[in-house]
Structure formats: C-alpha cells, structure tokens
Amino acid sequence: MKPFFTLLLLPFAFCIQAHSQTHVVPVSYTTTGSFLGPLANTQRTYQLLINANQLTPLVGQTLKGITFGRLASATVAWPDSDVTYTNYDIYLSESVAPAQRSLTFANNIVGTQTRVRSGALTITAGSFPPDPAPNNFGAVIGFTDGYAYNGGHLLVEIRHTGFTGTSVSVEAITTSGTGYGTNFSACWVGNYSGTSTTTQGNFAITRFTHDAGLPLTLSSFKAVRRSEDASLEWTTASEQNTQQFSVERSTDSRVFSSIGTVAAAGNSNSAINYQFTDRNITSLGVKLLYYRLKMVDKDGLYKYSPIATVNISKTGAVITLYPNPVKDIATLSVNAEKQETVQYTIIAANGKQVQTGRYLFTQGNNLFNVNVAQLPAGNYYLRLEGTNTSERIGFMKQ
C-alpha cells in the first residue's frame, strides 16, 4: 500500500506584483500595418528584436507580462468566446541589434534564453476590446516567472500552438515603417518548433508590464485530504490590489486546469485565511493530485504558488517537507507504515538529477535533513522511491 501523504507548505513569504506599470515598444510610432501572429489560431514561432534605446525605462525592472493592441478599425471585442492554446511559450533573452537580425532564429539569441511562461493559455471572451484610438491593449499575458531586465537589446520569442476559433490581427509596424530595422525588427514562421524562416515580419506593438513593488505575501498553503475531498487552505499576511485566487489541479504536475476561484480581499495588512474544497477526488481514478494557486491582481498580473500534493490512498502515513521555500536545509518528516529503504533523487526543473541518496524509513515517525545549500535558486522535486513509497514533492530553493 502506498503511503498517503499531504505536502504541507509551512509559513513563507511569497510575493506577486499587485500594482503594475507599463511600457510600450516602440516608444513613439505611427501604426502602419497589422500582424496575424501573437493571437493567430494556427502555430507560430515569432521573434521580436528590440533595441536597448527603446527600453531605457525598464532597466532594473522585473518584466511580468506582455500584451498587444487591437487595430483602430476593430469594432467588437475579441474573442467572442473563450479560446485556449495548448501551448503558449514565451522566452526572453539578450538579442543581437535589430539591424543584425538573422532569419535563423538561434542566431538572434545572445546568452541564455529564459522561459518566462509555458503551457496552456486561455484567453477569456472579450479580453481584447475594440480600439477607439489609440492603443487599447488587451489583457496581460502574464509571465510565470519574472525576468530581470538589466539593459541591452532584448529578444522576445513566442512559440504557440493553435486553437479552435477565429484569429485576430494586432497593431503592427510594417518592414518599411519608421524605425523598423534599427529600433526594432521581427521574423516568424508558421510552426510551433520553427528554427528558421525565409521571410521577415511586421513588428507587433508590444506593451510590457513590470514591477512597481507592492506585494502579496502568502504565509502558508497546504492541501489536506478529508475523507473523499481535498481541502485547500492558505493564509495571506498582506495584500495590495488583489483580485482573486484561481485554484488549479493537475494529475501529472505539468498540465494544470482551474477548478474554481476564490475572491481576494483586495487590500489588507492583517492575516486572512482562505479555503477551497475539491469534492469527490477519489472518483478521478488517479493516485496523486497536484494543486497550486494562481494569484491574480486587479491589473491582470499573476503568480503561481508552490505546489501542494495529495495522495489518494487508504493508509494514514504522512510525509511533509518544510520549510518551503528552503534556503539551506529542509526537514523531511515521514510517518511510515512499515520499515523500508527508500532511494531519493532531487531533480531540477529542467529534468536533471542533481542529488541522490538513500533513507531508511522505520515504522512510525522519522526526520531527515535534506541539504540543498549548494543548489542554485529555483524549483526542484524530491522523488522518493521504495517498495511501499513512490512520491514526488515539489519545493523551491531560495
């Protein structure tokens, strides 16, 4: 029998942007065309190369999301019903100068690309209103992880699959428009995994959202099985401009879907407790469920909480890892059903195994130190494999 466990995330400070600022690229422009790319219903790989002279206000800021503007001729909001991309991935990195743009995508990348969002993207009905002029931008496409911009030319790479529904064009500057090829440039191909193209592309006018420094502090988040249900419980220590918490669930830790929302306080300087119940989890036909919170502010920005996990089984054994996030040493607490030797592996977000070893679980309560002091900051999993145990626990290294 696999041990039942609840991953308890003990108190920690976790911040999201609550008040945001924006910056439009190009800094000044006259719209000369349109582009069917960022919001197309078919596959795209699209690169936008931006000169550092267009990004001066962003130096030292953390970029949190992007969006695009509707055409001045638009008369109705888009989309008319929700649309969902199976994958909408965004990468940021330093870039070659726009004048040196290559039609081979890899040649435009300087240094290491950072994936700031990945996975499914749902754009809700009416998120991109018509443009009464000028520049009525749509809802923010938020980044899962912020990107610290410290100067230099910037490359934005978007790779997305298609969706069932109607595409929409966005405001853009054509290849003959003022500033194209010096202040900015672009290239694209109709393929999610494209590596090169034979054509350049119009530059979609882009609005970046970045930090303004007012956080939401999440002090605890846990998932607990209660009979046939899962109870999600969390506490915020303070909130500024918050809108809602979207509770998301996954059966594989990779693809999450929303199962409900809880309204946020908006503004608070005292502790607030929240709770959400996921009913009848035993009917889902899986052994393990993953939960996270999508914490959304009134500007449309969001950040994800660490993942909490519930194992659907009949035994009363409990495994917890704390604190989470961890700076140097975490404690693994195990209430084991029986004695066994368990192999442990720490796995980085890119799938690389960075640490391995063994624990001897004795029947009853056990405490083990998990030393992660030498690991770089980031997200990891602790995988436990034994005769009676097969679990994966997510944690964040500070």
Side-chain angles (χ1 to χ4, degrees):
M1 180 74 70
K2 303 294 184 186
F4 161 71
F5 86 85
T6 299
L7 173 58
L8 174 62
L9 303 179
L10 296 184
F12 59 93
F14 192 80
C15 298
I16 66 168
Q17 176 58 40
H19 287 303
S20 59
Q21 297 178 357
T22 60
H23 177 69
V24 177
V25 175
V27 174
S28 62
Y29 63 90
T30 299
T31 302
T32 58
S34 63
F35 189 68
L36 188 65
L39 302 177
N41 63 2
T42 54
Q43 296 186 33
R44 292 288 190 273
T45 296
Y46 182 37
Q47 286 189 333
L48 300 98
L49 291 77
I50 304 171
N51 193 301
N53 64 21
Q54 301 294 299
L55 301 167
T56 302
L58 296 181
V59 175
Q61 301 294 328
T62 299
L63 307 184
K64 306 293 286 189
I66 60 173
T67 190
F68 308 98
R70 295 290 305 280
L71 297 175
S73 59
T75 58
V76 296
W78 180 88
D80 56 5
S81 60
D82 293 1
V83 299
T84 298
Y85 292 91
T86 303
N87 292 97
Y88 199 104
D89 303 336
I90 302 176
Y91 300 80
L92 298 183
S93 68
E94 293 184 50
S95 172
V96 300
Q100 299 173 337
R101 184 215 55 216
S102 170
L103 297 182
T104 299
F105 299 138
N107 293 344
N108 297 323
I109 302 167
V110 175
T112 302
Q113 282 188 308
T114 299
R115 185 168 64 181
V116 294
R117 93 160 313 278
S118 63
L121 171 66
T122 296
I123 300 177
T124 58
S127 292
F128 284 76
D131 189 348
N135 315 325
N136 192 6
F137 290 89
V140 174
I141 301 172
F143 299 158
T144 306
D145 298 299
Y147 180 84
Y149 175 69
N150 296 310
H153 307 315
L154 180 68
L155 179 70
V156 180
E157 181 176 290
I158 299 172
R159 294 177 178 268
H160 69 68
T161 51
F163 63 83
T164 300
T166 303
S167 301
V168 69
S169 294
V170 299
E171 284 190 307
I173 300 175
T174 64
T175 57
S176 59
T178 302
Y180 194 100
T182 54
N183 292 334
F184 49 86
S185 59
C187 53
W188 71 282
V189 70
N191 192 313
Y192 169 74
S193 56
T195 58
S196 63
T197 183
T198 59
T199 182
Q200 54 189 337
N202 293 348
F203 182 89
I205 296 164
T206 304
R207 188 179 74 181
F208 291 92
T209 305
H210 60 92
D211 274 351
L214 295 175
L216 173 153
T217 302
L218 181 69
S219 57
S220 68
F221 173 48
K222 63 181 179 180
V224 181
R225 181 179 171 187
R226 302 191 188 284
S227 186
E228 304 302 303
D229 306 329
S231 177
L232 287 296
E233 301 164 8
W234 64 98
T235 301
T236 61
S238 63
E239 298 182 38
Q240 295 289 333
N241 202 41
T242 53
Q243 178 176 326
Q244 68 178 28
F245 300 89
S246 176
V247 180
E248 298 187 350
R249 183 181 67 200
S250 172
T251 58
D252 61 7
S253 80
R254 295 183 296 274
V255 179
F256 284 82
S257 58
S258 176
I259 57 173
T261 59
V262 177
N267 295 283
S268 173
N269 291 317
S270 59
I272 298 179
N273 298 316
Y274 295 90
Q275 192 273 339
F276 179 90
T277 300
D278 186 16
R279 303 287 185 187
N280 301 318
I281 58 174
T282 55
S283 67
L284 297 174
V286 296
K287 295 181 178 180
L288 190 63
L289 290 173
Y290 303 84
Y291 294 93
R292 69 184 183 186
L293 301 175
K294 182 178 180 181
M295 302 177 288
V296 186
D297 71 13
K298 292 179 181 178
D299 298 308
L301 297 179
Y302 63 88
K303 186 72 176 180
Y304 290 110
S305 72
I307 294 172
T309 318
V310 170
N311 192 322
I312 306 172
S313 63
K314 301 302 183 182
T315 178
V318 176
I319 299 177
T320 60
L321 180 73
Y322 60 90
N324 191 350
V326 56
K327 184 177 181 180
D328 295 315
I329 297 177
T331 298
L332 180 69
S333 175
V334 180
N335 185 343
E337 185 180 37
K338 59 181 67 175
Q339 180 172 307
E340 64 173 322
T341 299
V342 175
Q343 177 78 28
Y344 80 83
T345 307
I346 296 179
I347 304 169
N350 62 6
K352 181 179 179 181
Q353 297 183 5
V354 296
Q355 195 176 120
T356 61
R358 292 185 179 184
Y359 295 129
L360 175 62
F361 289 0
T362 59
Q363 186 176 11
N365 294 321
N366 302 259
L367 292 175
F368 304 96
N369 287 334
V370 183
N371 192 334
V372 296
Q374 302 304 314
L375 298 181
N379 294 314
Y380 296 87
Y381 288 99
L382 173 65
R383 186 172 66 195
L384 302 169
E385 294 291 342
T387 303
N388 302 295
T389 302
S390 180
E391 308 298 351
R392 189 167 72 161
I393 306 171
F395 68 92
M396 181 184 296
K397 167 64 168 64
Q398 292 180 324

